[in-house]
Amino acid sequence: MFQYVVESDTGKIRVVNEDSVAVLKRPSGLMLAIVADGMGGHKAGDVASQMTVDQLSHYFLEDDDTAFLTLDSKKEWLSGRIDAINRVVFDHSVANQECKGMGTTLIAALIEGDEGVLCHIGDSRAYLINETIQQITRDHSYVNVLVDSGEITQAEAEAHPKKNWIVRALGTESGIERELIDFSFADASYLLICSDGLSNKIPKEELASIVRATAPLSQKGQELVNLANDLGGEDNISLILLSSMDKEV
């Protein structure tokens, strides 16, 4: 059985929270966790992220059980529904001048038992945390393109002035490139999904230290948000922290 906490905070600088988050559960026990970070600097980022979460939540709760019977069918469901949502968001941005150019990152994770699969677009992140911390997503970012081509090192990427430029987003084009990632959620481990307002401020080992501490899950979530704000809070800060440890609430 999973426990979870959801946090979303505007931060100290931004006026609008462009992040949208949700956790949903079907009667079968299948869970969906969603973090969407509306693109900063784009008009109506909050509209793009909320449209994405609302649409995906609706599909998840209304679609037939046959869509989720196997790992392959879950992947097909994620791909198909996210393709459709991308088109809806893109068409809305084209039809509404005030929304022109809007987009959002997305992590949408389906979890059943110890197994999960997620769809990843942009630079929101997912981590598995136990004795160690493992980042299971890789940012779809401009600096990672430079790293892959050998133009800069990973260390240089961390301090690059264009670190926050992403090369994939939902809703900015009529087609979408997305990445599907399988993961195993073993007993006594945690899954942390977050926007870059958290991951850009707190080193991953410090994230893991807070998550592994002996404290209620709700306290851990609030502590992560508070620390990101204490370190500047320049961006919206959102997270979903799931635990398979029944004692945590």
Side-chain angles (χ1 to χ4, degrees):
M1 180 178 177
F2 293 105
Q3 305 289 340
Y4 63 87
V5 62
V6 178
E7 296 283 352
S8 190
D9 189 87
T10 305
K12 289 189 169 181
I13 305 298
R14 301 285 180 91
V15 176
V16 175
N17 189 349
E18 295 185 314
D19 293 353
S20 297
V21 294
V23 177
L24 304 102
K25 189 174 182 179
R26 289 175 63 94
S28 65
L30 177 68
M31 296 180 70
L32 174 65
I34 316 169
V35 170
D37 178 358
M39 292 173 63
H42 285 67
K43 294 179 181 178
D46 56 324
V47 175
S49 65
Q50 193 63 59
M51 283 181 69
T52 298
V53 169
D54 288 348
Q55 289 277 323
L56 194 56
S57 298
H58 172 77
Y59 289 139
F60 177 72
L61 295 175
E62 297 298 326
D63 284 346
D64 192 81
D65 284 338
T66 55
F68 308 105
L69 289 177
T70 66
L71 179 62
D72 285 344
S73 68
K74 290 169 185 168
K75 289 180 177 180
E76 289 176 10
W77 181 84
L78 281 169
S79 292
R81 288 313 195 188
I82 288 167
D83 280 349
I85 292 166
N86 178 78
R87 187 73 211 196
V88 169
V89 174
F90 176 74
D91 287 348
H92 185 86
S93 72
V94 171
N96 296 271
Q97 181 63 32
E98 70 275 12
C99 295
K100 185 177 181 181
M102 72 178 183
T104 183
T105 72
L106 177 66
I107 291 186
L110 290 170
I111 305 162
E112 190 166 33
D114 286 343
E115 302 304 318
V117 59
L118 64 81
C119 179
H120 166 48
I121 302 166
D123 65 354
S124 294
R125 291 184 179 180
Y127 300 91
L128 282 173
I129 302 169
N130 204 334
E131 287 81 10
T132 59
I133 180 168
Q134 176 192 2
Q135 183 180 329
I136 57 176
T137 55
R138 187 167 189 259
D139 298 349
H140 300 135
S141 62
Y142 174 69
V143 293
N144 275 343
V145 172
L146 297 181
V147 169
D148 291 343
S149 67
E151 294 181 52
I152 63 173
T153 66
Q154 189 63 55
E156 289 171 330
E158 292 301 318
H160 198 281
K162 297 178 180 176
K163 177 184 176 182
N164 293 330
W165 286 22
I166 59 175
V167 295
R168 295 187 196 179
L170 186 149
T172 56
E173 298 179 4
S174 59
I176 185 70
E177 277 191 84
R178 66 244 181 258
E179 186 176 1
L180 295 174
I181 301 168
D182 302 346
F183 62 93
S184 178
F185 194 172
D187 287 342
S189 68
Y190 301 86
L191 175 67
L192 174 64
I193 304 172
C194 63
S195 63
D196 65 346
L198 185 73
S199 57
N200 276 349
K201 301 306 295 183
I202 306 176
K204 68 178 185 177
E205 293 303 332
E206 193 164 359
L207 289 174
S209 178
I210 294 170
V211 169
R212 287 194 297 256
T214 303
L217 205 62
S218 57
Q219 181 177 324
K220 296 175 184 182
Q222 191 59 60
E223 187 174 344
L224 289 168
V225 170
N226 290 344
L227 180 56
N229 274 322
D230 289 345
L231 293 171
E234 295 90 351
D235 201 354
N236 307 144
I237 306 156
S238 295
L239 66 92
I240 298 170
L241 178 60
L242 298 102
S243 170
S244 62
M245 301 172 71
D246 293 346
K247 64 184 180 183
E248 297 194 83
V249 293

